[in-house]
Structure formats: C-alpha cells, structure tokens
Amino acid sequence: MTNQPNQIERDNAFLLRTQQQFRRAADVITNAWCVFPEVVAIAVIGSVARPLWKEVPRFAQYRRRGIQLWHECKDLDLALWIADMSQLGELRRAKAVALRMEHEQQPDFGVADHQVDTFLFDPETDAYLGRLCHFNNCPKSRPECATPGCGATPFNCIIPGFRAHPDILNGVEATTLYSKTEGRCRLALDLPSPAGGVE
C-alpha cells in the first residue's frame, strides 16, 4: 500500500462521513414520517446510533496487515413503532421521496432508499412485526415476495428465518428520534462521534 498513512486517513475520513450521511438520512426520514398519525415512535438503531469504534476491516489490504479503521456502517437501521399497518405503502413512498428531495437540494447527500432497513414494532408490546418493503408494488413478483406471510399486510416484508434479537432496542445502539408523546426528541446528527469528529 503506497503512501499508507495518508490512505488510512482518507479511508477513516470516508467511514466517518458515511456514518454522518446515514444519520442525516435518519433525520430526513423521521421528519417525513412523524406527520403520520399511526407513527408512535421512531428510533435509529445499530452502528449508526453509536460512536464508531476501531476494528480490522474487511478490506484485504488492511486485513492482511492487521491495520484498524473505523467500523464501516453499511446501511441505516431504523425502528418504527406503528399503531396501524394499513399505510405502510404511503410510509415507504414518503421515505423514498424525502431521500430523493434531500439529494436534489444537497448533491453531496447520497443515501438511497434500498440502504435503509426499517424494522416494524408493535407499540404496546415491542413485538417485531416485519420490515418495511423497498419495492414500489406489493407483491412485486420477485422470489423474495413468495416468502410465507410476506405481503399479507401490504408492504410488510417478511425475511426468511429472521428473528429480531431480544436486545435490538436496548443499550447504546438504539436512540429515539421521535415519539408521539414527546415530539422530536433529538437529531441523529447530534449523536456522539469518535474523538476528533468528522474530517
């Protein structure tokens, strides 16, 4: 690897910026969803919700040498507590429109609809209900649409074999951005970042 220290700095800066892009997307989507009366709460979960940590990455040039970089955020995970599932299609559309509009207004913004996974939960029990589908039609006549139960409620995607981890909503990897009782709780962009911030 030529000019190794500079390349490490550039790659670390990219990984930090990627997390910030996902956090920005979380705020954009939350703003679009909080106007829906059936939305009870929205949280950002997973690695986007917490300060990044150093680890040996999947990239071969670093893995071979045991060089650590910031953790790579590959997508944005959101938790959505919803009282009525009949408007999932409208929520899917609102998410896609909000992300597209943000890109049109801010060309440096680059989070696409398919990079956001939305986990649906019952507001009374926290029971996992499924995921918000990415497709613009339900069903879409795709192999994944043949999963038993998928689309029984339109735009509720069932992932074969997936079971939500009991701690998915607990600890440092879950931060509420909106609740119906409190309104907008905080911005994802204000969540802590590693010391030194985003370059």
Side-chain angles (χ1 to χ4, degrees):
M1 187 188 307
T2 60
N3 208 7
Q4 182 171 296
N6 286 342
Q7 185 62 50
I8 292 171
E9 288 175 11
R10 285 195 294 270
D11 288 340
N12 271 324
F14 172 79
L15 293 166
L16 288 167
R17 284 195 302 271
T18 297
Q19 186 191 49
Q20 291 300 97
Q21 289 269 302
F22 283 133
R23 287 178 171 182
R24 188 167 155 194
D27 287 332
V28 166
I29 295 166
T30 299
N31 290 340
W33 281 350
C34 67
V35 300
F36 285 78
E38 60 269 30
V39 169
V40 176
I42 304 165
V44 57
I45 60 178
S47 59
V48 174
R50 60 180 291 196
L52 295 184
W53 60 95
K54 291 286 183 75
E55 62 187 9
V56 177
R58 62 186 174 88
F59 315 121
Q61 67 270 33
Y62 294 115
R63 191 173 64 249
R64 284 195 301 268
R65 296 170 173 81
I67 297 171
Q68 294 189 338
L69 296 178
W70 294 120
H71 173 78
E72 179 187 15
C73 295
K74 297 178 183 176
D75 57 15
L76 167 62
D77 291 334
L78 295 175
L80 174 62
W81 286 264
I82 188 160
D84 178 358
M85 304 257 282
S86 66
Q87 296 300 308
L88 290 183
E90 289 302 311
L91 285 161
R92 184 212 64 79
R93 183 176 181 280
K95 175 184 65 157
V97 169
L99 292 173
R100 184 173 67 247
M101 289 179 61
E102 184 71 9
H103 176 68
E104 289 171 356
Q105 294 168 9
Q106 305 288 339
D108 68 323
F109 178 77
V111 177
D113 177 49
H114 69 270
Q115 293 177 286
V116 182
D117 276 335
T118 305
F119 298 76
L120 305 172
F121 294 93
D122 181 277
E124 299 295 329
T125 65
D126 284 345
Y128 171 72
L129 303 172
R131 293 196 210 178
L132 185 62
C133 185
H134 295 298
F135 297 143
N136 58 5
N137 290 312
C138 181
K140 184 73 171 177
S141 299
R142 297 282 294 271
E144 49 266 56
C145 299
T147 301
C150 193
T153 298
F155 296 99
N156 184 21
C157 178
I158 304 301
I159 307 297
F162 178 81
R163 297 288 181 272
H165 192 278
D167 293 332
I168 191 171
L169 302 176
N170 299 326
V172 296
E173 293 192 6
T175 299
T176 301
L177 303 179
Y178 166 84
S179 76
K180 200 164 191 174
T181 55
E182 299 177 32
R184 202 68 157 87
C185 303
R186 69 182 304 169
L187 296 176
L189 277 173
D190 290 339
L191 293 172
S193 294
V198 181
E199 300 177 32

